[in-house]
Amino acid sequence: LLSSRFLRLNQAAAAMVLVGANSTVNFVPIMKSFGHPALTAASIASLAGISTIVGRMVGGYLLDRISGNVVAGVSVAMPIASSLLLLLFPGSVEACAAAALILGLGLGAEFDAVAYLTTRHFGMRSFGVLFGVVGSTLGLAIGLGPTLLNHVYDVTGSYVPAIWAFIPTCVVGSLLFFTLGRYPDFGEKGLPSDSPKADALGPGVAEPAPATR
């Protein structure tokens, strides 16, 4: 829990949700603020839901074949393109539709990648506890993100400042995923080689089994 690797994973996951889930939940209000009719905004937002399904399948396929760090890092960076399309072409239906599709693709791959990376970097011994902490962080970000986004709108009368803030958030999250490093070799101890507990046990020494009668 205190390792730099876990803290980076947790922070990257929080950045991922602050942008991805936040954008999806508020996509219709964002479109309406750009002058699109409610029906058009809802139709565009539905594209994000469809592409999320595709993103999950493509992300799962890639996780079986290349590094999960790369899959997660690229997925978190994808909303940068969505944000730029919304900022540069707010009145274009085509640009907003492309933004929704890109956002959904990235979001679909992101969530699966976080669970996958938790198992690959920390093993299965304490997966429930570790992913429980990550899940709590995600839940906090999901709840806090829309509140902050709509507070920005209440103060400024526009979603544009918040959308600009998405870009550096995505950059930070992507870099954190890319810097997780290679998957550890858990060996006999079932602990990653950089674990303080593993160092205390010494090389090649397994944890003592619990006493039994």
Side-chain angles (χ1 to χ4, degrees):
L1 288 173
L2 299 179
S3 69
S4 64
R5 190 193 301 258
F6 182 76
L7 293 176
R8 275 177 283 159
L9 175 64
N10 207 25
Q11 291 166 0
M16 170 195 79
V17 169
L18 280 174
V19 175
N22 210 0
S23 302
T24 304
V25 169
N26 291 279
F27 204 86
V28 171
I30 290 173
M31 293 296 93
K32 291 175 67 177
S33 73
F34 291 156
H36 296 283
L39 183 59
T40 301
S43 300
I44 294 174
S46 67
L47 296 176
I50 296 171
S51 61
T52 297
I53 299 173
V54 178
R56 282 186 176 274
M57 294 187 290
V58 173
Y61 177 85
L62 293 175
L63 286 172
D64 285 336
R65 287 159 177 80
I66 63 176
S67 170
N69 299 344
V70 174
V71 175
V74 172
S75 298
V76 176
M78 290 177 70
I80 295 176
S82 297
S83 299
L84 290 175
L85 285 170
L86 294 176
L87 291 168
L88 297 176
F89 310 101
S92 170
V93 173
E94 293 79 8
C96 292
L101 288 171
I102 295 171
L103 179 65
L105 286 172
L107 189 62
E110 289 168 2
F111 284 101
D112 293 340
V114 171
Y116 179 82
L117 287 174
T118 304
T119 65
R120 295 310 301 263
H121 284 290
F122 303 101
M124 297 299 296
R125 170 175 292 187
S126 300
F127 173 76
V129 172
L130 294 175
F131 195 67
V133 173
V134 174
S136 298
T137 301
L138 296 179
L140 178 62
I142 290 173
L144 185 62
T147 303
L148 294 175
L149 178 67
N150 287 288
H151 177 69
V152 171
Y153 180 81
D154 289 340
V155 172
T156 66
S158 172
Y159 287 107
V160 170
I163 297 174
W164 276 114
F166 288 163
I167 296 176
T169 304
C170 287
V171 171
V172 171
S174 181
L175 291 176
L176 288 172
F177 277 126
F178 276 117
T179 59
L180 288 177
R182 301 175 65 179
Y183 300 145
D185 179 12
F186 293 94
E188 297 179 6
K189 291 170 283 189
L191 295 167
S193 57
D194 59 354
S195 167
K197 190 174 181 181
D199 293 339
L201 291 170
V205 180
E207 280 193 280
T212 56
R213 293 186 178 181

